[in-house]
């Protein structure tokens, strides 16, 4: 996999999932349901978990939501889903966790924002209460700074100091420093109260790609805490995917980041699980994790007027994706499978030889035959109108032979 030297962060255990400490980079997501609606929240958490979210954050914003949390956990466990749940608290988290001990116990991690944990004289008291509760219930905490809700007192002080400086820097640089200081000062205070470093995760989220890169590079150089990466308010569709991938891809390549979320705005009525798949694809493309078999397919050109290779590539990809929940149990290691579905003779045979199993379909004017390669060797030439179905059968047979019980018994 990736040869990137990852930053050595302190490991934090979150409901059985390790973040940092050399563990694989963890994918997480967040529900957008009303947490007080137990059924809707359980349904969406289950969807995110099935898509591959290894941690799921839920909003806890009022008494009804806090009261629902233990019921959500219990119903998930009743379905065999033990994904760690993170409570997202703003403004009144100290009150909700104090008054709802069952919620405090049921959650696997608390996320608090130092920019709105309390204001003026109440800030330190309410922050301390949250940390003391985390200690009491033995829960890790993510101290999540967001530039949309930054501590105004801290920012004002740093701006004033910069104005009085003999060598003032840009306002953007001061804002980045305020974000970093908010996270580090809060983490230091949490440790003073008694929360261990192995119970603290930091995040410093902004919605600008270059600012995000700069903030995390500086933060990573100044601390050893585990870091959660995410471009906040990334946006909708391709814009959000590209922006998140560009920002986090650079940081991940530099070894920065222990857990990630791709914060996509769903289309109206859209699928919330898309952000999980994008996060997985980012980590897999960069060589950090292996989640799903890889299907290589050419983009098509004037030589590939037939849509057969496009249809087959999609069918294979969809079949592999939908089968993975079962296959992970039945075929250990199947996520490392690579399949090639190519559309003409130019790169088709060569690309197919690089895959575990590949097919090179005929392009315009080519002989109506499709050679199939397994582990670099040509094993068959398929012909006829049902080439796609023939190849799918060969893929299934290959998976059984390579990853099935017989293959494991032979290896043992």
């Amino acid at each position: 996999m990736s040869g990137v030297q990852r930053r050595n962060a302190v490991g934090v255990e979150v409901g059985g999932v390790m973040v940092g400490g050399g563990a694989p980079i963890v994918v997480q997501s967040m529900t957008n349901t009303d947490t007080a609606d137990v059924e809707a929240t359980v349904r969406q958490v289950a969807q995110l978990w099935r898509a591959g979210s290894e941690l799921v954050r839920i909003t806890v914003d009022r008494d009804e939501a806090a009261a629902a949390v233990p019921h959500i956990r219990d119903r998930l466990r009743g379905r065999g889903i033990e994904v760690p749940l993170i409570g997202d608290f703003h403004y009144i988290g100290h009150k909700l966790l104090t008054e709802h001990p069952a919620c405090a116990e049921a959650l696997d991690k608390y996320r608090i924002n130092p920019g709105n944990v309390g204001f003026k004289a109440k800030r330190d008291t309410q922050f301390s209460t949250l940390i003391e509760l985390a200690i009491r219930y033995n829960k890790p905490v993510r101290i999540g700074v967001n530039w949309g809700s930054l501590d105004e007192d801290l920012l004002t002080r740093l701006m004033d100091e910069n104005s009085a400086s003999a060598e003032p820097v840009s306002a953007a640089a001061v804002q980045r420093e305020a974000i970093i200081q908010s996270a580090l000062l809060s983490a230091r205070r949490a440790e003073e109260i008694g929360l261990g470093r192995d119970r603290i995760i930091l995040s410093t989220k902004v919605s600008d790609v270059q600012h995000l890169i700069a903030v995390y590079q500086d933060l990573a150089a100044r601390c050893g805490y585990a870091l959660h990466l995410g471009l906040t308010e990334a946006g909708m569709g391709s814009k959000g995917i590209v922006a998140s991938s560009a920002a986090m891809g650079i940081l991940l390549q530099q070894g920065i980041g222990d857990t990630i979320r791709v914060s996509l705005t769903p289309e109206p009525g859209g699928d919330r699980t898309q952000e999980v798949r994008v996060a997985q694809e980012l980590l897999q493309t960069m060589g950090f994790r292996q989640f799903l078999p890889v299907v290589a397919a050419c983009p098509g050109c004037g030589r590939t007027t037939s849509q057969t290779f496009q249809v087959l590539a999609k069918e294979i990809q969809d079949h592999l994706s939908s089968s993975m929940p079962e296959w992970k149990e039945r075929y250990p290691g199947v996520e490392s499978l690579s399949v090639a579905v190519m559309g003409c003779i130019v790169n088709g045979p060569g690309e197919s030889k690089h895959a575990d199993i590949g097919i090179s379909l005929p392009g315009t004017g080519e002989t109506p035959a499709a050679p199939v390669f397994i582990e670099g060797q040509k094993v068959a030439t398929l012909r006829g109108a049902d080439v796609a179905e023939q190849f799918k059968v060969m893929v299934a047979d290959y998976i059984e032979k390579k990853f099935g019980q017989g293959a494991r018994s032979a290896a043992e």
Side-chain angles (χ1 to χ4, degrees):
M1 299 300 286
S2 171
V4 172
Q5 182 65 43
R6 288 182 58 202
R7 170 179 167 272
N8 186 24
V10 175
V12 180
E13 188 270 326
V14 182
V17 175
M18 184 59 70
V19 175
I25 299 165
V26 173
V27 172
Q28 63 178 278
S29 184
M30 184 176 184
T31 59
N32 61 0
T33 58
D34 177 0
T35 304
D37 185 338
V38 173
E39 281 303 318
T41 303
V42 167
R43 185 165 54 249
Q44 192 173 86
V45 171
Q47 291 169 350
L48 293 168
W49 172 76
R50 281 194 293 269
S53 187
E54 295 159 304
L55 304 173
V56 176
R57 183 157 46 112
I58 59 178
T59 298
V60 187
D61 58 347
R62 64 194 195 281
D63 288 309
E64 293 83 358
V69 169
H71 299 292
I72 292 167
R73 178 204 57 187
D74 292 345
R75 293 198 191 184
L76 288 167
R77 288 184 177 177
R79 299 184 184 186
I81 300 172
E82 298 195 12
V83 62
L85 296 177
I86 302 164
D88 193 59
F89 295 97
H90 299 277
Y91 305 109
I92 58 171
H94 62 290
K95 175 179 179 290
L96 294 174
L97 287 172
T98 299
E99 296 179 358
H100 296 272
C103 170
E105 185 277 328
L107 292 167
D108 294 284
K109 187 176 77 171
Y110 309 153
R111 187 268 184 168
I112 59 178
N113 183 341
N116 59 33
V117 72
F119 301 99
K120 303 300 180 181
K122 294 182 178 180
R123 179 185 294 115
D124 290 344
T125 300
Q126 292 175 183
F127 179 82
S128 297
T129 298
L130 282 164
I131 299 302
E132 288 164 0
L133 287 162
I135 295 169
R136 180 188 308 170
Y137 291 101
N138 192 28
K139 306 296 182 181
V141 170
R142 170 155 74 95
I143 296 173
V145 182
N146 188 303
W147 74 346
S149 52
L150 189 54
D151 182 340
E152 288 297 328
D153 290 342
L154 175 61
L155 179 59
T156 299
R157 176 173 62 80
L158 292 179
M159 285 289 188
D160 290 344
E161 291 175 358
N162 184 60
S163 297
S165 171
E167 298 181 358
V169 296
S170 68
V174 176
Q175 186 176 54
R176 290 197 297 268
E177 178 62 20
I179 293 169
I180 294 168
Q181 283 200 27
S182 180
L184 294 179
L185 291 170
S186 298
R188 186 182 308 159
R189 177 58 185 149
E191 286 197 65
E192 290 171 353
I193 295 168
L195 190 66
R197 284 194 155 221
D198 63 346
R199 310 304 280 161
I200 298 173
I201 297 172
L202 299 185
S203 67
T204 47
K205 290 190 174 183
V206 302
S207 58
D208 178 89
V209 169
Q210 295 298 338
H211 282 305
L212 190 86
I213 294 167
V215 164
Y216 271 98
Q217 286 173 334
D218 198 352
L219 178 64
R222 291 162 64 173
C223 76
Y225 298 107
L227 300 181
H228 167 71
L229 293 189
L231 185 76
T232 192
E233 289 90 39
M236 184 179 289
S238 60
K239 184 267 181 187
I241 294 171
V242 171
S244 293
S245 299
M248 289 193 284
I250 290 172
L251 291 167
L252 291 167
Q253 187 65 22
Q254 295 175 355
I256 299 169
D258 303 292
T259 176
I260 69 170
R261 180 192 174 200
V262 177
S263 300
L264 297 180
T265 304
E267 300 281 349
D271 185 357
R272 188 69 167 180
T273 63
Q274 182 187 23
E275 65 177 46
V276 179
R277 293 192 295 273
V278 172
Q280 289 180 326
E281 288 170 8
L282 174 60
L283 293 177
Q284 181 157 323
T285 298
M286 296 189 69
F288 290 107
R289 297 281 302 273
Q290 196 79 32
F291 297 98
L292 291 169
V294 174
V295 179
C298 65
C301 66
R303 298 179 61 94
T304 57
T305 53
S306 168
Q307 292 187 345
T308 302
F309 82 97
Q310 297 168 323
V311 173
L312 180 56
K314 185 177 188 307
E315 288 180 354
I316 292 291
Q317 182 72 68
D318 290 347
H319 178 60
L320 294 175
S321 297
S322 64
S323 300
M324 280 306 292
E326 174 193 348
W327 284 359
K328 283 181 180 178
E329 301 295 329
R330 186 175 173 188
Y331 301 119
V334 71
E335 63 272 10
S336 65
L337 175 72
S338 61
V339 181
V341 181
M342 305 302 291
C344 79
I345 200 171
V346 174
N347 292 317
E351 192 71 43
S352 297
K353 289 177 183 178
H354 288 303
D356 290 323
I357 179 169
I359 186 170
S360 179
L361 293 160
T364 304
E366 295 177 18
T367 303
V372 174
F373 299 83
I374 292 179
E375 297 177 0
Q377 302 298 315
K378 182 179 176 182
V379 297
T381 300
L382 305 182
R383 295 181 173 84
D386 64 341
V387 164
E389 293 304 318
Q390 293 180 58
F391 181 65
K392 284 190 279 188
V393 170
M394 293 186 72
V395 171
D397 289 343
Y398 178 76
I399 290 172
E400 180 62 44
K401 290 175 183 177
K402 185 174 178 65
F403 302 103
Q405 183 62 46
R408 295 197 297 278
S409 298
E412 294 169 356

